[in-house]
């Protein structure tokens, strides 16, 4: 990769072109294939306009001290992910919707090449969105005890779970329909924690030597459930 990048083929964030078989010969790698292609082959390639993914972020917050013991704060975070990699089978044509299943179901006329099992292209077309608001309060109970608690209200949306071809879209001719709650979306989260410092000082007996300068930090977390996908264990839509 470093060599090809130095040669100007794979610069960041956008490569100038796809790596060819000739690019690999300098590393002693030879790729050969004699036609014809075996039937029901599975092909993989990268998109011609593939680019590295990146994020855009914005945040703002405010905090206020109440008396000498309390500190309260509110923080908002917005994150958008762009150019997220995902796999798409480019061998598919728009198929009719099954009146029984309510989804597109593919058959031979709706494959560009019926003799090709899959024509996977890895492209950087996915997007993700995150919005989160965190409210937190911290109290210093004494010189040795401090407690904090925060609540986060958030929402995560994306269009792709993983770049592995096993996670391709249900309808790969309509990728926009994949935009929904992320697999890691967690709407509500409450966290409480404390720092309890031992009042003992080493050098004043066995117990002081063992537990002196000791800090206990308990934490409690409660959150809402995360989404999950139901898998049917079969290729219901016939897209291979």
């Amino acid at each position: 990769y470093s060599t090809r990048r130095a040669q100007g083929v794979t610069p960041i964030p956008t490569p100038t072109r796809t790596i060819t078989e000739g690019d690999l010969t300098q590393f002693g790698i030879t790729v050969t294939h004699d036609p014809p292609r075996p039937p029901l082959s599975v092909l993989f390639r990268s998109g011609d306009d593939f680019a590295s993914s990146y994020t855009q972020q914005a945040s703002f917050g405010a905090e206020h001290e109440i008396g000498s013991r309390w500190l309260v704060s509110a923080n908002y975070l917005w994150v958008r992910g762009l150019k997220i990699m995902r796999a798409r089978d480019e061998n598919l044509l728009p198929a009719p919707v099954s009146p029984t299943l309510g989804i597109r179901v593919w058959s031979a006329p709706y494959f560009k090449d019926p003799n090709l099992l899959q024509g996977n292209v890895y492209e950087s077309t996915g997007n993700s969105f995150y919005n989160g608001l965190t409210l937190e309060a911290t109290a210093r109970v004494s010189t040795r005890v401090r407690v904090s608690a925060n609540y986060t209200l958030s929402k995560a949306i994306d269009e792709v779970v993983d770049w592995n071809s096993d996670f391709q879209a249900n309808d790969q001719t309509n990728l926009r329909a994949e935009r929904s709650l992320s697999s890691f979306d967690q709407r509500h989260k409450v966290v409480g924690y404390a720092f309890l410092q031992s009042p003992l000082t080493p050098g004043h007996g066995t117990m002081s030597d063992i537990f002196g300068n000791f800090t206990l930090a308990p934490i409690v977390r409660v959150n809402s459930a995360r989404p999950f996908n139901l898998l049917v264990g079969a290729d219901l839509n016939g897209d291979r």
Side-chain angles (χ1 to χ4, degrees):
Y1 172 78
S2 300
T3 301
R4 301 308 297 145
R5 182 180 177 186
Q7 294 171 346
V9 176
T10 56
I12 295 175
T14 306
T16 56
R17 61 175 173 82
T18 301
I19 295 177
T20 64
E21 296 176 3
D23 294 322
L24 302 178
T25 56
Q26 61 181 310
F27 306 109
I29 302 174
T30 303
V31 181
T32 60
H33 175 70
D34 297 325
R37 186 185 66 210
L40 300 181
S41 295
V42 177
L43 304 181
F44 296 89
R45 74 173 184 88
S46 60
D48 296 333
D49 58 349
F50 188 90
S52 299
S53 60
Y54 64 95
T55 61
Q56 298 173 339
Q57 301 185 31
S59 64
F60 63 87
E63 63 180 25
H64 180 66
E65 186 175 3
I66 303 175
S68 59
R69 295 180 178 271
W70 285 88
L71 180 67
V72 295
S73 64
N75 295 277
Y76 170 76
L77 175 64
W78 172 86
V79 181
R80 182 187 178 189
L82 301 96
K83 305 293 184 180
I84 301 174
M85 182 171 66
R86 62 179 164 192
R88 176 178 61 86
D89 188 350
E90 60 182 348
N91 193 42
L92 300 176
L93 298 171
V97 175
S98 167
T100 303
L101 299 177
I103 60 175
R104 295 184 189 272
V105 176
W106 273 264
S107 56
Y110 301 100
F111 294 98
K112 295 178 182 179
D113 182 354
N115 293 320
L116 181 63
L117 188 64
Q118 291 181 357
N120 298 300
V121 54
Y122 285 97
E123 55 188 21
S124 51
T125 57
N127 296 277
S128 65
F129 307 87
Y130 174 84
N131 290 273
L133 173 65
T134 300
L135 306 176
E136 183 167 16
T138 299
R140 180 172 291 279
V141 180
S142 68
T143 57
R144 299 182 181 274
V145 178
R146 187 179 69 184
V147 295
S148 297
N150 62 64
Y151 165 72
T152 300
L153 172 65
S154 63
K155 187 174 184 179
I157 296 174
D158 62 30
E159 300 170 351
V160 55
V161 175
D162 195 284
W163 55 265
N164 191 297
S165 58
D166 291 339
F167 294 92
Q168 288 175 333
N170 175 67
D171 182 357
Q172 298 187 64
T173 63
N174 182 18
L175 297 181
R176 177 62 177 80
E178 289 297 298
R179 181 172 297 186
S180 61
L181 292 179
S182 301
S183 58
F184 55 84
D185 175 68
Q186 194 173 72
R187 195 58 45 86
H188 305 282
K189 181 173 66 176
V190 176
V191 179
Y193 55 97
F195 295 97
L196 312 175
Q197 187 175 4
S198 171
L200 302 177
T201 302
H204 295 80
T206 302
M207 294 298 293
S208 296
D209 292 340
I210 296 175
F211 296 104
N213 291 334
F214 189 89
T215 300
L216 179 65
I219 183 170
V220 177
R221 172 174 172 169
V222 180
N223 54 261
S224 55
R226 296 180 177 90
F228 63 95
N229 291 328
L230 291 175
L231 302 179
V232 297
D235 187 11
L236 291 183
N237 62 4
D239 66 353
R240 302 177 177 178

